[in-house]
Amino acid sequence: MPETVAAPQPDAGGSAAAPGRRPAGAAAREPGAATVLETLRQLDSGPRGLTEDQAELRQARTGANVLPAYREASWPRMFLRSLRDPFTGVLLCLGLVSAAVASWGTAGVILLLVAVSCALRASGEHRADRSTAALRGLVAGTATVLRRRGEDDAPHARELPVDELVPGDVIRLGPGDLVPADVRLLRSHGLTVHQAVLTGESAPVPKDATGAMAGGGFDSRELCFQGSAVASGSASAVVVATAGRTRLAATHGGRGPAVSRREPSAFDRSVQGISWILIRFMLLTPPLVLMANAALRDRGLETLPFAVAVAVGMTPEMLPVVVTACLARGAALLARGHRVIVKRLPALHDLGAMDVLCLDKTGTLTQDRPVYDRAVDSEGRDDPEVLRWAAVNAWWTLQLAELPAPDALDEALLDAADEDDCTACDGVTAVPFDPVRRLATAVVRTPGRLGVHTLVVKGAPEAVLERCDLTDEERARLLARAAGYADEGLRVLAIATADIPHARIRPGRGAHVSLPHDRTRTDERGLTCRGFVTLRDALAPTAGDALKVLIDRGVAVRILTGDHPGNAVRACRDLGVPVGPDAVLTADRIDALSDAELTEAASRVAVFARCAPEHKARVVAALRADGHTVGYLGDGVNDLPALRTADVGIAPRDAVAVARETADVVLAEKDLTAVGHAITAGRHAGGNITAYLHVTLSSNLGNVIAMLAAGLLLPFLPMLPAQVLAQNLCFDAAQLAFARDRPHPAVLRRPTVLRPRALLRFIVGFGALNAVADLATFGVLALALHGPDALDDEAVFHSGWFTENLVTQALVMLLLRTGRLRAEGGAAGPVGWAAGALTAAGLLLPLSPLGSPLGLTPLPALYYVLLASVLALYAAGLMAVRARQRSR
């Protein structure tokens, strides 16, 4: 029975006197023994709770009972933070160089693009923060608190918002309640608590008020922690810690998720690699242009504006804008269509690049409830009578309980059994499940059997079998059989019965009236073992189909759970995911592996069981070290280290607040189907970004090569700086269409990763092909045009190359994109329309009134005929190289 608590006598100030007491609100958190009375004295409280005045004073000192919230950055702060993006840094450098050489037009355009990109990114992330703040408002709750008007008044139970709780408050807990703060139990009755969000354990943990606190750990039976939930039973408890002083807050340092610096994600690493490629080209191009013109054409610093224009031509000015627009549009569509909020825009790319998803089992692959599997006799044969007796026990322990509290296991048994079988017997008395005894006992009367009742016992195999009339060998054999079922991921209940005379039972309601514990111990001996009932975790309805979609799209799934390895393996097999015997690793084996050994093992192991938070984070880090882009789906405090370590952290809306704020992506529900939608959006955005980079960088590199060659061959600059700028503006405006393109379905079948080395190989190959087309255009201009229209005519050369450049870039947009021309209704899609507009600009601009200020002139009709031949050969070459690349 719980310890009897005497109320401390009030002192002159109206609070309990306690010599040497600590300030009000200080919790007994240090290791060592602290009885209920000592805890109440340390908190200046009593079993009747606090008065309203005392609670008001304490809240003024301790503050509201809310976790330290992540401080949302303002829009201007987000704008300035966007300037640290490496792509933006490249453009800023070019803008400053352009301004230094008095190329004000180029500098102005570049700075405008930088401002637009930063504004787009800041706006998208600001909207995500506001959406997440709205989600946090949906999870407010209340608690049942004992409060008194005055010192001499009787306490009254009131429902108060959890943020009004203070240390010393006495609260009541019942089935389904969330524990609103860290509490010390005063009284309890059959209390079990779900601590999955704190420890990862899927099964409820028994708690009771007897004894003293020792260390204050999660395994302390006298303590319940904020974030856990009552599974069964009832209790009264005193609040020992609130807000940032709880264990929930201590897990993340008490200052919010922004404290821990995260490692660069897949997007960050890709951006850095590509930025360095661009920086090298940018730094190398102007000196080459200057040296070539000075050595071969005796032209000096007057070519510096042209050299800067060439460098600008190599750098994709629209890169930050296109990348941000692709990500922002994908994030907006996810939020509207699937209620998935992307808090950090680059995380959408990481979702598309993800090839490993780590997740917990409970609540994701399985529901947090068991379902009936099978009933077997003591020889392992199917026996429906075992299920009948188990259901009879569950029915009458519930019906005859003083405070009916249905248990998840009992509900599963009653769902599987026939209700007529349960009611065929008359209940006499019952002792509900006791976490200490690990048994539930019912006594029933079977019609037709006079003078004899049946005692039905259900519970843990060890507790039931020790009460059965068995030899040591038989008991060991049955325990081994039960252990085998447990290793298969099943929960096991043993069922035993005994006949007892009617005279030994005093009918009534409640264990302590009709069947005292001393008599229970006498009657629960010499039982006959009926067999075992096994239960398994109920599968999440959408988990099987969602897993198949993930696997088909090249995403490997890793289970990281604090549960028994057999439970995780069983869930995987039930969902159709094969798991071999060597594909399971437990925490003790993880501890025995070095980082290099774990990196090697993580690529083949599918289930990591008995994991503590540090194990989960270490496994995620090992997968990343092996070159994988890793996502982690978690909702508890025990998932925080892994959420921070992963490339992209994912949490459902009903996750604990700190996990939700740490995550990069927030789901409306903890459902793998939503993750599949997020991956699809990420691959759409990543595919469009990749297509843009392929098109613009290969075209730009080809142009730079051609410009260098023309600068060596021609007596004049191959293109005027104003013409280079106008060409870049036309091309950049057209490429905004990539943000709205729909990629080819093949893009969804594999992760879309921006790999700098692969990108460099691509742009070098296709850039060289583009340069060949430019040089062929030079040949056309040299061989087909004579007299005043020959190569010595600067305006003709500039106009011919200007037109060819824009038309070839439009061709590249169509042939190197990841999507396809749409046939529905004759629509070509946004990229098709943009390519058409770019072609029109190339053909019409030299003929328009704007051509003369740019130094362009109309071209003869023969040039367009020859240009069409060059473009046809160029298109054939592009398609041949593209087909070869895809086959490889």
Side-chain angles (χ1 to χ4, degrees), residues 722-807:
Q723 293 168 351
V724 174
L725 180 59
Q727 176 182 273
N728 289 341
L729 286 176
C730 291
F731 191 32
D732 291 339
Q735 290 184 94
L736 282 174
F738 280 108
R740 305 188 67 84
D741 194 26
R742 186 171 184 83
H744 193 282
V747 173
L748 303 179
R749 301 190 193 118
R750 61 186 183 277
T752 51
V753 185
L754 293 174
R755 302 188 187 277
R757 291 187 178 182
L759 179 65
L760 181 59
R761 289 194 298 269
F762 184 97
I763 64 175
V764 167
F766 284 94
L769 186 61
N770 196 332
V772 169
D774 288 340
L775 294 174
T777 303
F778 298 165
V780 167
L781 290 169
L783 297 175
L785 306 178
H786 304 283
D789 294 333
L791 283 183
D792 290 338
D793 190 328
E794 290 187 41
V796 171
F797 183 88
H798 292 161
S799 301
W801 195 21
F802 183 89
T803 297
E804 183 268 346
N805 262 338
L806 290 185
V807 177

Side-chain angles (χ1 to χ4, degrees), residues 42-375:
Q42 290 165 348
L43 293 165
D44 279 349
S45 184
R48 297 192 302 156
L50 301 175
T51 65
E52 296 291 351
D53 292 340
Q54 289 173 332
E56 185 176 349
L57 290 173
R58 294 191 184 191
Q59 187 157 45
R61 288 196 299 265
T62 62
N65 178 35
V66 294
L67 283 175
Y70 176 73
R71 186 176 181 180
E72 298 172 4
S74 63
W75 192 92
R77 184 184 295 272
M78 290 181 176
F79 182 90
L80 294 176
R81 192 168 59 196
S82 300
L83 293 173
R84 297 180 299 180
D85 179 76
F87 288 144
T88 306
V90 172
L91 289 182
L92 282 176
C93 290
L94 281 177
L96 294 176
V97 172
S98 300
V101 298
S103 182
W104 303 112
T106 303
V109 170
I110 289 176
L111 294 178
L112 177 63
L113 293 176
V114 168
V116 170
S117 171
C118 292
L120 283 174
R121 177 169 295 184
S123 298
E125 295 185 356
H126 189 61
R127 282 196 304 270
D129 273 359
R130 285 187 299 173
S131 299
T132 306
L135 287 180
R136 283 198 297 269
L138 298 177
V139 295
T142 61
T144 304
V145 187
L146 292 182
R147 288 277 178 89
R148 295 174 288 155
R149 293 183 181 275
E151 189 64 38
D152 298 327
D153 293 330
H156 295 280
R158 296 175 50 195
E159 289 290 322
L160 293 178
V162 294
D163 57 3
E164 295 184 15
L165 290 181
V166 295
D169 264 328
V170 174
I171 65 173
R172 290 176 178 173
L173 298 172
D177 288 345
L178 294 176
V179 179
D182 287 359
V183 300
R184 205 285 189 201
L185 296 177
L186 302 178
R187 291 180 172 83
S188 63
H189 179 72
L191 185 67
T192 60
V193 174
H194 281 292
Q195 293 188 153
V197 297
L198 299 166
T199 64
E201 299 171 285
S202 62
V205 178
K207 300 283 186 176
D208 66 80
T210 57
M213 291 188 294
F218 289 130
D219 56 349
S220 296
R221 296 174 67 92
E222 304 83 17
L223 293 177
C224 296
F225 300 95
Q226 185 181 34
S228 54
V230 177
S232 63
S234 59
S236 63
V238 61
V239 175
V240 298
T242 59
R245 294 165 295 279
T246 63
R247 289 293 298 273
L248 184 65
T251 302
H252 66 286
R255 293 184 297 164
V259 176
S260 179
R261 184 180 296 274
R262 298 180 63 163
E263 293 294 324
S265 68
F267 181 81
D268 299 328
R269 297 192 300 270
S270 299
V271 164
Q272 291 171 4
I274 296 170
S275 296
W276 278 111
I277 291 175
L278 298 178
I279 289 171
R280 291 187 184 101
F281 276 115
M282 182 190 70
L283 296 178
L284 183 62
T285 300
L288 284 177
V289 173
L290 291 173
M291 288 188 295
N293 280 275
L296 300 178
R297 294 294 176 184
D298 198 24
R299 292 193 288 261
L301 291 179
E302 66 269 17
T303 61
L304 184 57
F306 173 72
V308 172
V310 172
V312 171
M314 179 61 213
T315 305
E317 300 96 332
M318 293 297 290
L319 183 54
V321 178
V322 171
V323 168
T324 305
C326 287
L327 297 177
R329 183 170 185 269
L333 292 176
L334 267 181
R336 289 198 302 267
H338 304 288
R339 300 175 64 201
V340 175
I341 296 173
V342 180
K343 297 169 55 183
R344 184 178 62 88
L345 282 183
L348 187 62
H349 164 271
D350 294 335
L351 281 168
M354 184 172 66
D355 60 346
V356 176
L357 175 63
C358 298
L359 47 85
D360 198 354
K361 171 184 68 68
T362 306
T364 307
L365 300 182
T366 63
Q367 301 179 51
D368 198 11
R369 64 180 182 86
V371 293
Y372 168 76
D373 180 65
R374 62 186 296 209

Side-chain angles (χ1 to χ4, degrees), residues 22 36 68 117 335 359 484 573 611 621 631 708 769:
R22 281 182 267 176
V36 170
S117 171
L359 47 85
R573 289 176 178 168
C611 287
L708 292 174
L769 186 61

